Amino acid sequence: MLYLKRIGMVVEPPSLDYLQRLVRSRMTRLAFENISKLHYLKTFEEQQFYLPPQEVYMDHMYRFDYSGVCHTGNYYFCKLLQELGYDAYPIKYASHLATIVKLADRLYYTDVALGHPTYYPLDISQPHELTIHHSRVMGYPDPGNKLKFHLVHGITGKEQHHWIFRPYERADLPEVHRLIHWSNEPQRLFTTILRVYLWQPDRQRSLSLVNDTFTIRYQERQEQMKLHSIQEIQDIVHNEFGMTNLPVHEAVETLESLGTPIWGE
């Protein structure tokens, strides 16, 4: 499979160990990025899609280093898991899309397109806590309702989001499309910023690009720098993230056409 080749994996029978390795490989080989989202927004009149067809998604993964934000990234990772024989389905909560995988009568929350370290599937019957490079994820079943699960995201010691969702509620394709349409409205998160994120556990760091600010986070410290031109941003994306094909110029131009330039004060 082309997808597996891109993340350095091969076909194996479904198992929890294999699922864990798939999640980790996907999160460390492909960046969380909204450059592809801006591309599909810009070309909608011509292409007539915001969620690319599967063959287009795969072509662009190789040609442009696209992987997407949660709506495309988790949707197509879920499709990959289904093709590999997993009982997997998408779930929606707030503005986010993730995946549930059923294995041996247990449900696992699986997320490869989130700016926090969900390095492994979370058994929703158990509490979880993971902190890496200033980012923290907590997950735990609701003490009063076993049909609900809590997920808490935070960074540098501050809680950012606390979501409660029902892992048994599957999101169908029309719901995914509605979520993407909502996220494409003016002044939504990913129509107002340039965002690229990547975990590099082999180098014990994570990389974050938000508009003109580039941050390297280590376990005990972080380095941050302001970028002053599109060329500097492109050099960071190409050399630090290793995404040599991401069309940075086009994304910046699209944001500027939407009235949201990336340059800070």
Side-chain angles (χ1 to χ4, degrees):
M1 292 182 181
L2 287 174
Y3 197 138
L4 288 181
K5 182 179 179 181
R6 180 64 179 80
I7 62 174
M9 298 289 289
V10 296
V11 176
E12 297 181 24
S15 69
L16 180 57
D17 174 71
Y18 184 40
L19 179 62
Q20 290 170 336
R21 287 183 284 119
L22 286 168
V23 169
R24 188 178 180 89
S25 293
R26 166 60 174 78
M27 288 190 66
T28 57
R29 299 292 186 98
L30 292 169
F32 175 93
E33 50 77 26
N34 75 319
I35 292 176
S36 57
K37 185 176 185 65
L38 293 167
H39 172 108
Y40 299 134
L41 186 62
K42 178 182 178 181
T43 60
F44 177 75
E45 293 300 325
E46 176 186 354
Q47 302 292 339
Q48 292 296 302
F49 58 73
Y50 293 124
L51 177 67
Q54 187 165 347
E55 64 274 11
V56 174
Y57 182 76
M58 290 309 310
D59 174 62
H60 287 180
M61 182 186 288
Y62 276 84
R63 188 143 54 104
F64 301 128
D65 290 326
Y66 284 171
S67 58
V69 296
C70 62
H71 311 128
T72 48
N74 277 324
Y75 179 78
Y76 278 114
F77 187 72
C78 182
K79 297 282 286 186
L80 171 68
L81 295 179
Q82 292 169 348
E83 292 174 8
L84 290 170
Y86 285 96
D87 182 359
Y89 56 88
I91 61 165
K92 179 183 77 70
Y93 59 91
S95 61
H96 191 62
L97 193 76
T99 301
I100 293 292
V101 179
K102 184 178 181 181
L103 271 172
D105 296 323
R106 290 183 178 269
L107 296 187
Y108 293 88
Y109 175 86
T110 306
D111 201 333
V112 298
L114 179 69
H116 293 274
T118 47
Y119 269 163
Y120 59 87
L122 307 182
D123 179 348
I124 67 163
S125 69
Q126 305 291 330
H128 302 267
E129 182 172 351
L130 178 63
T131 302
I132 299 178
H133 310 156
H134 301 268
S135 292
R136 180 180 184 227
V137 170
M138 289 179 58
Y140 56 91
D142 189 279
N145 188 338
K146 65 180 182 181
L147 299 180
K148 293 181 179 180
F149 190 76
H150 293 247
L151 199 65
V152 182
H153 302 159
I155 195 164
T156 59
K158 297 180 181 179
E159 181 178 309
Q160 289 184 310
H161 304 287
H162 186 157
W163 287 312
I164 304 173
F165 61 91
R166 297 177 180 272
Y168 295 89
E169 293 184 355
R170 302 174 181 237
D172 58 19
L173 187 56
E175 287 181 284
V176 175
H177 280 292
R178 285 194 294 272
L179 184 58
I180 294 173
H181 277 270
W182 176 89
S183 69
N184 283 339
E185 292 176 357
Q187 301 306 307
R188 298 296 184 195
L189 178 60
F190 293 118
T191 60
T192 58
I193 64 170
L194 183 72
R195 186 74 167 105
V196 187
Y197 207 102
L198 182 67
W199 296 94
Q200 296 181 326
D202 57 325
R203 301 179 67 178
Q204 298 184 328
R205 68 180 196 172
S206 61
L207 307 179
S208 170
L209 175 68
V210 180
N211 290 336
D212 60 350
T213 301
F214 173 57
T215 306
I216 304 176
R217 293 189 176 96
Y218 301 93
Q219 195 65 27
E220 302 297 334
R221 63 185 175 89
Q222 68 178 34
E223 301 171 2
Q224 192 170 87
M225 68 180 72
K226 281 287 186 180
L227 307 174
H228 304 287
S229 68
I230 295 177
Q231 187 60 52
E232 286 187 7
I233 294 174
Q234 181 169 286
D235 289 344
I236 288 292
V237 168
H238 290 185
N239 299 326
E240 295 289 347
F241 288 85
M243 305 295 166
T244 58
N245 300 314
L246 275 176
V248 173
H249 282 80
E250 177 186 313
V252 173
E253 290 171 358
T254 300
L255 284 169
E256 290 177 342
S257 73
L258 295 170
T260 55
I262 67 170
W263 311 108
E265 297 296 330

